[in-house]
Amino acid sequence: MVERLKTESTSGPLIRNISDTALWVAVYRARETERPDALFRDPLARKLAGERGEQIARSMQFGERHAWSYVARTWLVDRIVAEQVRQGTDMVVNLAAGLDTRPYRMDLPHSLRWIEVDLPGMIDYKDQVLSGEKAACELTRVRLDLSNLNARRELFAELGRSATKVLVLSEGLIIYLTRDEVGTLARDLAAQPSFQNWVLDLVSPGLLKMLQKNLGAPLSAAGSPLKFGPEEGPEFFLPYGWKPAEVHSLLKAAARLNRLSFGMRLAALLPQSNGRQGSRPWGAMCLLTRR
Ligand SMILES: C[S@@+](CC[C@H](N)C(=O)[O-])C[C@H]1O[C@@H](n2cnc3c(N)ncnc32)[C@H](O)[C@@H]1O
């Protein structure tokens, strides 16, 4: 049973469980929204993140310095979703949707089906905060622990049968999984022929190490250590039925969007490949497509 989310400030550890990470990342969307030159507007993010979200964000100094990566991630995914919908996607399945509000804030067709999957406590909280809001498309929330393999396979099969072209989203999920768990998830998604595209965020082994050192302690203490940053880069997914169609470096995107400090702007000038990165810190949004 997942503890109900509380967003008012309390004593004790700031991050109590994996779902609290959703409050934290919603803060970066709220702050971007509040800028006069906002790259996207997420008017519900502040309310959803609450005071606890702001406290968590302030306590994660490394996250604060690299807030650009969350802004670039949101901006890139917005664009990928819009393009995939334009190309005929009839269902979006957002795994570990957290406090994402794209169904409310994006210009989407009424007929698009949008499925959000997350742990029961997170969905209860979101339902409660957003009860008076109206989504642009047909939105369904599913309370599911994605580590329950049988239950998730049943859900994927049911969704897979009822759509023709599905875009799967998973932002801020696979970094918390082991290699084996990511491989099994990739295979389970590929088992549905209508699941044609999958957007995910990926880090190199070098960035994983940096994140573990600088952000990892409170996450590990809350039972959600950072685990996944494969040597192979986006090609990790090839044996599981997925090939990279688009790979967008978060650093390069943030440079284009003018969200970097001077030092990071210099780093963004260095040439980058989209393949194996080794010890180099590198993070990207990847659009995978069926092989
Ligand atoms: C870092 S947040 C990301 C939320 C959202 N995708 C975003 O980018 O704002 C991680 C999310 O994963 C969800 N999550 C983690 N493990 C899960 C599991 N086993 N089943 C379902 N959801 C899970 C958490 O509840 C949380 O909402």
Side-chain angles (χ1 to χ4, degrees):
M1 205 27 214
V2 177
E3 196 183 341
R4 259 185 92 74
L5 290 184
K6 294 197 199 92
T7 57
E8 71 275 18
S9 58
T10 53
S11 54
L14 277 171
I15 303 184
R16 300 154 307 178
N17 54 49
I18 183 82
S19 292
D20 276 345
T21 62
L23 303 176
W24 166 37
V25 295
V27 168
Y28 300 122
R29 296 193 288 269
R31 290 186 190 162
E32 180 64 25
T33 303
E34 289 153 9
R35 286 177 64 125
D37 61 345
L39 295 162
F40 53 80
R41 295 201 182 273
D42 187 346
L44 299 166
R46 179 59 73 191
K47 190 172 165 193
L48 284 163
E51 178 56 25
R52 171 174 281 279
E54 189 58 44
Q55 282 189 347
I56 295 171
R58 275 195 238 116
S59 74
M60 305 291 255
Q61 280 308 309
F62 188 81
E64 294 286 79
R65 283 201 300 283
H66 298 280
W68 53 266
S69 62
Y70 303 97
V71 172
R73 169 170 122 182
T74 303
W75 184 84
L76 285 165
V77 176
D78 283 5
R79 286 174 53 110
I80 294 172
V81 168
E83 178 57 22
Q84 290 297 315
V85 169
R86 201 187 61 75
Q87 289 183 23
T89 287
D90 59 349
M91 178 186 284
V92 175
V93 177
N94 191 355
L95 301 179
L99 301 176
D100 177 63
T101 62
R102 288 191 181 88
Y104 298 89
R105 66 179 179 79
M106 284 186 71
D107 185 15
L108 299 168
H110 294 300
S111 57
L112 178 71
R113 291 177 63 203
W114 191 295
I115 317 295
E116 295 185 340
V117 183
D118 210 299
L119 293 166
M122 171 57 64
I123 301 271
D124 288 347
Y125 169 69
K126 204 170 177 185
D127 271 352
Q128 178 207 316
V129 178
L130 299 183
S131 62
E133 305 293 334
K134 193 170 171 352
C137 57
E138 202 186 307
L139 174 63
T140 307
R141 295 204 178 95
V142 179
R143 291 162 174 77
L144 178 71
D145 183 343
L146 286 162
S147 63
N148 181 337
L149 300 192
N150 286 337
R152 88 175 180 208
R153 285 171 186 156
E154 265 175 43
L155 175 71
F156 295 167
E158 187 191 324
L159 296 174
R161 275 193 301 272
S162 67
T164 54
K165 190 172 182 203
V166 177
L167 173 67
V168 178
L169 298 185
S170 65
E171 286 173 278
L173 172 66
I174 62 173
I175 195 166
Y176 296 100
L177 305 181
T178 63
R179 272 180 81 86
D180 283 354
E181 287 166 344
V182 176
T184 308
L185 176 63
R187 213 172 250 138
D188 285 353
L189 292 172
Q192 301 307 320
S194 61
F195 285 20
Q196 295 196 13
N197 294 290
W198 180 13
V199 182
L200 52 83
D201 49 330
L202 191 67
V203 301
S204 66
L207 182 54
L208 178 65
K209 215 165 160 192
M210 192 182 266
L211 294 173
Q212 285 168 332
K213 180 162 170 247
N214 293 288
L215 287 175
L219 296 171
S220 295
S224 11
L226 300 171
K227 296 179 193 156
F228 186 66
E231 285 284 333
E232 304 88 328
E235 304 221 322
F236 168 87
F237 294 91
L238 287 174
Y240 305 102
W242 297 96
K243 63 180 182 220
E246 292 178 22
V247 178
H248 302 276
S249 148
L250 290 175
L251 183 66
K252 295 275 185 195
R256 280 201 312 279
L257 297 170
N258 203 17
R259 287 296 178 271
L260 295 181
S261 63
F262 177 69
M264 294 308 295
R265 278 208 302 278
L266 292 181
L269 293 175
L270 296 171
Q272 279 196 2
S273 82
N274 285 333
R276 288 173 179 257
Q277 306 290 328
S279 59
R280 188 173 185 175
W282 175 91
M285 286 315 301
C286 306
L287 172 66
L288 307 181
T289 193
R290 297 182 70 78
R291 289 187 72 188

